[in-house]
Amino acid sequence: MKLRFVGTGDSAQVPRFGCSCAACERARVLSSHRRGPCCAEVRVDGQRYLLDAGRSDLAASCERERPAAILLTHYHADHVQGLFHLRWGMGEPIPVYGPKDAHGCADLYRHPGVLAFQPGLKPFRALRLEGVEAIPVPLSHSKPTLGYCLDDGGTRLAYLTDTCGLPAETERFLRGWRPDAVVLDATHPAGYAEPRNHNTVPMALEIIERLAPRQAWLTHLSHAVDAELMSVHLSLPPGVALAQDGLECELAWPRPGSVAENMPWRVAMATRDG
Amino acid sequence: MKLRFVGTGDSAQVPRFGCSCAACERARVLSSHRRGPCCAEVRVDGQRYLLDAGRSDLAASCERERPAAILLTHYHADHVQGLFHLRWGMGEPIPVYGPKDAHGCADLYRHPGVLAFQPGLKPFRALRLEGVEAIPVPLSHSKPTLGYCLDDGGTRLAYLTDTCGLPAETERFLRGWRPDAVVLDATHPAGYAEPRNHNTVPMALEIIERLAPRQAWLTHLSHAVDAELMSVHLSLPPGVALAQDGLECELAWPRPGSVAENMPWRVAMATRDG
């Protein structure tokens, strides 16, 4: 399974419009420090699946390679805004899965165009897609929101954003499911008072410690997290990293019982433009 | 008054996702033939006013030069989607004017952030902005929609999109107001059956003939208009042109009574990238 972080920012993105903090000023100068709307893509067996659809170049990206399906975590604009343009396209319908949400976003349901919105997913009911199984799990957010537990038969990836903590039943499921890799919402810096819809970095690290994956990435990061990391030395635990726009990871670990099981696990990464 | 066409496409833009017509294929190869979401900007006395906010790089553009105000024609996603990101910015509030629309688009009203949404404009009631007066006029569309009649004291520009025909009271007003320049919705090609929310090119040309401005531009153009123009020779009347993304026009005509009145009118134009 190959994971690519397309966007790793919160709804304000980095740089945040009008902000002159050190992180925003850095991102204006160095494009590698920019963070676009939070979304990712997963490649399995030659199929491309999109996790959320907030990127502004969604149509261009889908022309280069049409996705087999789009999995939406929820219907906030920063996670679906690319669909406003994509929907008016042509060709085979693109299946779109997501949580049960009566409203969706703006008039997407009313004018779906080339998008084939599927009935709202039932939590913990596995969705079988070509090459991968996706188990939707409820998250704690201000709109109905699902994380996705993806299993290609060899690797298990839990993609968990947007969320503030984890619902008890989701945490229970994840502890039993034992993900190899976790991608988790860590929108706010440590000092953020009263988080309601998103994790702080320490909250995210506690969850990761309990789930004990081999590798974890923090995503949906605000400019304030980047700014804090520029002024305070924060050493993340082994196996935990900040996600970056364009970061591509080949997720591969030796299977239990294989000859290589006792070898150190490995993650192949490459950062690319665009 | 300086007018810049930022985007001149319909909601599908050009190229349309997945389309292999001659116009879409051309736009993929030649970026000068691309058409982004329909929006424009006007510069008067050092102030920058945005007409609609659908462009995906709205925040970056507003960082380079903060607009004095945003005038929205209506709340369809392709005309406001840039606000989803911009709103989470910082600094002085940006006034946003538009039609009275109880719903707006998605959660823009509920979470306006740095945007200062003003009460819905009353048709034909002039809005006085620095350096320019804007008179909102009702248009015929599937959502409450206003055109804007802009007067800087020397030049009169009517920006009229999205619309199918013109409401009788709007046409009456425009005939009396006598615009120097008209920018008009011409989404569909001649053969389009049963236009309901947008003009066809012939409908737009008829309106322009009745309003008799010195100069007119067709905008909100679909790939089908471009494709038709590639296969059929259509000669537009004198003084009428297709708008292009990036086209910048210095609108200046001699005033009545001035020495230069009997000289031919002139429009200075320059096409720029971005």
Side-chain angles (χ1 to χ4, degrees):
Chain A
M1 190 188 309
K2 193 179 270 183
L3 167 68
R4 182 166 188 267
F5 292 99
V6 177
T8 60
D10 68 347
S11 55
Q13 305 180 33
V14 184
R16 181 179 176 186
F17 166 59
C19 180
S20 54
C21 77
C24 288
E25 294 292 17
R26 178 180 65 176
R28 283 187 193 99
V29 178
L30 298 170
S31 63
S32 59
H33 288 282
R34 290 175 175 266
R35 298 190 186 277
C38 192
C39 54
E41 55 187 50
V42 162
R43 276 200 172 70
V44 195
D45 275 356
Q47 301 292 318
R48 178 178 176 235
Y49 297 101
L50 306 188
L51 296 164
D52 282 331
R55 61 194 286 187
S56 62
D57 68 338
L58 186 65
S61 132
C62 289
E63 283 206 335
R64 285 192 296 272
E65 188 181 354
R66 206 166 178 105
I70 301 175
L71 304 179
L72 298 178
T73 61
H74 64 301
Y75 284 89
H76 275 153
D78 55 322
H79 293 256
V80 302
Q81 61 203 0
L83 301 178
F84 290 128
H85 170 204
L86 186 75
R87 63 176 158 170
W88 299 119
M90 298 175 76
E92 287 297 303
I94 298 172
V96 180
Y97 299 92
K100 192 170 175 179
D101 185 323
H103 304 291
C105 186
D107 59 357
L108 280 179
Y109 288 164
R110 192 143 49 101
H111 300 295
V114 77
L115 305 175
F117 286 100
Q118 305 297 309
L121 295 174
K122 294 217 169 96
F124 307 112
R125 177 83 59 91
L127 175 69
R128 294 195 164 280
L129 300 165
E130 199 174 326
V132 69
E133 183 184 79
I135 303 172
V137 296
L139 299 180
S140 298
H141 195 49
S142 54
K143 209 167 164 55
T145 302
L146 295 173
Y148 290 98
C149 296
L150 304 169
D151 186 342
D152 68 352
T155 304
R156 291 183 160 182
L157 164 68
Y159 186 87
L160 307 169
T161 185
D162 297 3
T163 195
C164 183
L166 285 180
E169 73 271 26
T170 294
E171 177 145 352
R172 208 161 33 236
F173 170 83
L174 285 165
R175 285 190 183 210
W177 194 67
R178 302 186 62 192
D180 298 300
V182 166
V183 177
L184 186 58
D185 180 324
T187 302
H188 302 304
Y192 190 84
E194 298 181 31
R196 285 188 310 164
N197 298 318
H198 296 282
N199 288 328
T200 62
V201 171
M203 287 168 71
L205 294 180
E206 280 174 28
I207 292 170
I208 289 165
E209 193 178 357
R210 294 200 297 272
L211 298 182
R214 300 166 187 256
Q215 176 72 33
W217 287 276
L218 307 182
T219 192
H220 207 277
L221 301 162
S222 68
H223 72 134
V225 168
D226 281 338
E228 188 176 74
L229 289 173
M230 289 174 79
S231 64
V232 180
H233 178 71
L234 172 71
S235 68
L236 293 171
V240 180
L242 297 189
Q244 288 177 298
D245 286 25
L247 180 69
E248 208 165 81
C249 317
E250 180 77 45
L251 303 182
W253 287 276
R255 293 172 187 237
S258 73
V259 178
E261 193 185 3
N262 294 318
M263 291 170 61
W265 55 266
R266 68 188 166 78
V267 179
M269 296 188 200
T271 305
R272 287 194 196 162
D273 281 337
Chain B
M1 189 189 310
K2 192 179 270 184
L3 167 69
R4 182 164 188 269
F5 292 99
V6 177
T8 60
D10 68 347
S11 55
Q13 305 179 32
V14 184
R16 181 179 176 186
F17 166 60
C19 180
S20 54
C21 78
C24 289
E25 294 292 18
R26 178 180 65 177
R28 284 187 191 100
V29 178
L30 299 170
S31 63
S32 59
H33 288 281
R34 290 175 176 266
R35 298 190 186 278
C38 191
C39 55
E41 56 187 50
V42 163
R43 276 198 171 71
V44 195
D45 276 357
Q47 302 291 318
R48 177 177 176 236
Y49 297 101
L50 306 188
L51 296 164
D52 283 330
R55 61 194 285 187
S56 61
D57 68 338
L58 186 64
S61 131
C62 290
E63 282 206 335
R64 287 192 294 273
E65 187 181 355
R66 206 167 177 103
I70 300 175
L71 305 178
L72 298 178
T73 61
H74 64 301
Y75 284 89
H76 275 153
D78 55 321
H79 293 257
V80 302
Q81 61 204 0
L83 300 178
F84 290 128
H85 170 203
L86 186 75
R87 63 175 159 171
W88 298 119
M90 298 176 75
E92 287 296 304
I94 299 173
V96 180
Y97 299 91
K100 191 170 176 178
D101 185 323
H103 304 292
C105 186
D107 60 358
L108 280 177
Y109 288 165
R110 190 143 51 101
H111 300 295
V114 77
L115 306 174
F117 286 100
Q118 305 297 308
L121 295 174
K122 294 215 169 97
F124 308 111
R125 177 83 59 89
L127 174 69
R128 296 196 162 278
L129 300 165
E130 200 175 326
V132 69
E133 182 182 78
I135 303 171
V137 296
L139 299 180
S140 297
H141 195 48
S142 55
K143 209 166 163 56
T145 303
L146 294 173
Y148 290 98
C149 296
L150 303 170
D151 186 342
D152 68 353
T155 304
R156 292 183 160 182
L157 164 68
Y159 186 87
L160 308 169
T161 185
D162 297 4
T163 195
C164 182
L166 285 180
E169 73 270 27
T170 294
E171 176 143 352
R172 209 161 33 236
F173 170 83
L174 285 165
R175 285 189 183 210
W177 193 66
R178 302 186 62 192
D180 298 300
V182 166
V183 177
L184 186 58
D185 180 325
T187 302
H188 302 303
Y192 190 85
E194 298 181 31
R196 287 189 308 164
N197 298 319
H198 297 282
N199 288 328
T200 62
V201 171
M203 287 169 71
L205 294 179
E206 280 174 27
I207 292 170
I208 289 165
E209 192 178 357
R210 295 198 299 271
L211 299 182
R214 298 167 188 255
Q215 175 72 32
W217 287 275
L218 308 182
T219 193
H220 207 277
L221 301 162
S222 68
H223 73 135
V225 169
D226 282 337
E228 187 175 73
L229 289 173
M230 288 174 79
S231 64
V232 180
H233 178 72
L234 172 71
S235 68
L236 294 171
V240 180
L242 297 189
Q244 286 178 283
D245 285 25
L247 179 70
E248 208 165 83
C249 318
E250 180 77 44
L251 304 182
W253 287 276
R255 293 171 185 236
S258 72
V259 179
E261 193 186 4
N262 294 317
M263 289 172 59
W265 54 268
R266 69 187 166 78
V267 179
M269 295 188 200
T271 305
R272 286 194 196 162
D273 282 337

